């Protein structure tokens, strides 16, 4: 099967809402999700009763021993619909990784197929009390037995191995990664709802931070937060009758199956091999060429993903992303640079998964970014997770 | 204050041969009885011939390899490692089976001179309760 997505540009985002992003909300996650959902529906010029589809991904991303409780630590599509008093024609949860592109694809498919007319996509993230990844296991059964007895556990060690392979192979410096993280924090500092609003990170502070799992320090990881975002999807035709300029979904792609490896082991070559397949499909399905994207938003939940996505998207040759960064190539304030973190990303907003990337595409392409509005934003690309594991969505300000 | 022990593996039908060999300080990996290819960890099906009845047999392998990556664990989220940090985990490509990558402790310690492509040989950590965990040691430069 080859060729462009048959529903390319036939479905659009018509409105959104984003809650404040905090360490611990004074509201239970479900209540925050309801308020955010109502705001997004109102923003799109609709009422709750119009919405007949609800989609989310309710993954609770922690390696720790925290339980997931609907309405408290996660919010499923049916929980939200039920509490809003809606019996939806379509409700679904995306189960894979790359939760935002995955959920967007379910919503787009539902609208394009006629399963639902107005679909609300929400993402609710919760920061549990206590150490986020702490796990008191004494025995390692099942797949854990292959790595846990060795002490290999948790996402920091996972990304540390892949990143160090990159660092050693290509000679990437800590100064380059300091520039990545400060770029995310600079942009996040300009966003009112961000956890890091008005709190940029000087590169020197990054460079002074002690290592946790070399070469990863605390600033290479996004901070766990409470926060909810919601987006309203409908057909391009219906969206044109709603108050805001529609932002069209040109296409999407999610990661391909990976080689069989140890649990949480992502050798760099495995990542990049599958990543090139993810992006190849993205260009084919969306009908967009890499050079046409003026607003690529790369995922940065762990800072090394920025390099992996930049290279997978062809913004620079393999092994060159760190040099492009040092040369000012991703500085959102510099003419001619590629502003891959203009929305602040996860490092500049908090652990909202792929929401900041999607939201930046929506706000800029809809002309709703306010003081941060960029002069040229016609094709946006929102990434989430690792390029081999997650996915990406291409957005357009005009159908083509 | 007593420190917690390190997590021990729980051998099962698919892994008992691996841990039994490790207890004797032998690295044994799963060999498919259909296509004879080695894979690790043993999957539900053979990743080489895709047999759904691979009948894996744990076979001693040449555990020498090269370091493809590493990390120094200065903090661990697991119990039993507080007294062990900092320690080094290496990502090793087996020379005799280049499609297999293993992760284990580098027993030479966090100050050892590590570089990409450095040669290692298998070693074992005895962690108590009769369990030995495969690890690696730097080959002495010749
Ligand atoms: Zn086989």
């Amino acid at each position: 099967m080859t060729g462009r997505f048959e529903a390319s540009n036939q479905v659009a985002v018509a409105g959104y809402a984003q809650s404040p992003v905090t360490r611990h909300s004074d509201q239970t996650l479900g209540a925050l999700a309801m308020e955010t959902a109502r705001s997004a529906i109102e923003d799109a010029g609709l009422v709750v009763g119009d919405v007949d589809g609800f989609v989310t991904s309710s993954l609770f991303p922690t390696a720790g021993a925290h339980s997931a409780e609907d309405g408290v630590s996660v919010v499923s599509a049916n929980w939200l619909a039920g509490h809003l008093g809606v019996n939806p024609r379509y409700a679904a949860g995306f189960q894979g990784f790359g939760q935002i592109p995955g959920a967007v694809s379910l919503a787009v498919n539902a609208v394009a197929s006629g399963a639902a007319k107005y679909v609300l996509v929400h993402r609710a993230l919760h920061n549990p009390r206590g150490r986020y990844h702490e796990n008191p296991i004494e025995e390692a059964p099942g797949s854990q037995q292959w790595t846990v007895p060795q002490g290999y556990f948790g996402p920091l060690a996972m990304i540390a191995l892949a990143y160090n392979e990159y660092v050693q192979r290509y000679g990437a410096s800590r100064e380059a990664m300091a520039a990545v993280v400060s770029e995310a924090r600079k942009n996040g500092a300009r966003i009112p709802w961000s956890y890091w609003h008005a709190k940029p990170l000087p590169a020197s502070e990054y460079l002074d931070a002690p290592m946790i799992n070399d070469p990863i320090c605390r600033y290479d990881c996004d901070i766990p937060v409470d926060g909810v975002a919601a987006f309203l999807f409908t057909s391009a035709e219906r969206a044109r009758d709603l108050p805001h300029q529609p932002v069209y979904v040109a296409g999407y792609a999610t990661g391909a199956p990976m080689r069989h490896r140890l649990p949480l082991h992502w050798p760099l070559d495995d990542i990049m091999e599958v990543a090139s397949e993810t992006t190849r499909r993205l260009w084919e399905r969306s009908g967009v060429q890499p050079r046409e994207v003026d607003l690529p938003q790369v995922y940065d939940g762990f800072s090394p993903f920025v390099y992996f996505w930049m290279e997978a998207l062809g913004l620079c040759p393999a092994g060159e992303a760190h040099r492009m960064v040092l040369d000012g190539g991703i500085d959102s304030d510099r003419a001619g640079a590629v502003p891959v973190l203009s929305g602040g990303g996860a490092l500049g907003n908090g652990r909202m998964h792929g929401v900041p990337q999607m939201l930046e595409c929506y706000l800029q392409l809809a002309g709703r970014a306010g003081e941060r509005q960029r002069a040229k934003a016609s094709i946006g690309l929102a990434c989430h997770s690792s390029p081999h594991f997650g996915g990406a969505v291409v957005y357009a300000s005009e159908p083509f | 204050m007593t420190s917690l022990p390190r997590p021990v593996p729980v051998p099962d039908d698919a892994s008992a041969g691996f841990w039994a060999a490790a207890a004797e300080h032998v690295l044994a990996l799963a060999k498919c009885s259909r296509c004879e290819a080695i894979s690790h960890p043993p999957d539900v099906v053979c990743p080489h011939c895709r047999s759904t009845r691979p009948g894996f047999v744990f076979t001693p392998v040449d555990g020498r390899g090269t370091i493809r990556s590493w990390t120094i664990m200065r903090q661990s989220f697991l119990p039993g490692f507080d007294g062990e940090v900092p320690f080094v985990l290496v990502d090793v490509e087996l020379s005799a089976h280049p499609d297999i990558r293993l992760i284990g402790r580098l027993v030479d310690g966090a100050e050892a001179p590590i570089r990409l492509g450095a040669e290692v040989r298998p070693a074992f950590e005895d962690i108590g309760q009769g369990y030995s965990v495969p690890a690696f040691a730097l080959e002495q430069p010749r």
Side-chain angles (χ1 to χ4, degrees), chain A residues 86-101:
Chain A
V86 178
N87 178 11
R89 292 203 290 177
Y90 180 80
F94 179 76
Q95 296 297 328
F97 287 87
Q99 297 86 354
I100 300 297

Side-chain angles (χ1 to χ4, degrees), chain B residues 32-37 46-51 54 56:
Chain B
C32 173
S33 59
R34 309 272 154 174
C35 73
E36 305 216 314
C46 172
H48 296 279
C49 70
R50 306 195 187 280
S51 169
F56 288 124

Side-chain angles (χ1 to χ4, degrees), chain A residues 96-123:
Chain A
F97 287 87
Q99 297 86 354
I100 300 297
V104 167
S105 69
L106 291 182
V108 169
N109 296 355
V111 171
S113 69
K117 285 190 164 69
Y118 299 99
V119 177
L120 187 80
V121 170
H122 82 276
R123 183 70 173 116

Side-chain angles (χ1 to χ4, degrees), chain A residues 371-382:
Chain A
E371 290 177 354
R372 299 190 309 106
Q373 184 66 47
R374 302 184 67 84
K376 190 172 180 319
S378 53
I379 302 283
L381 191 162

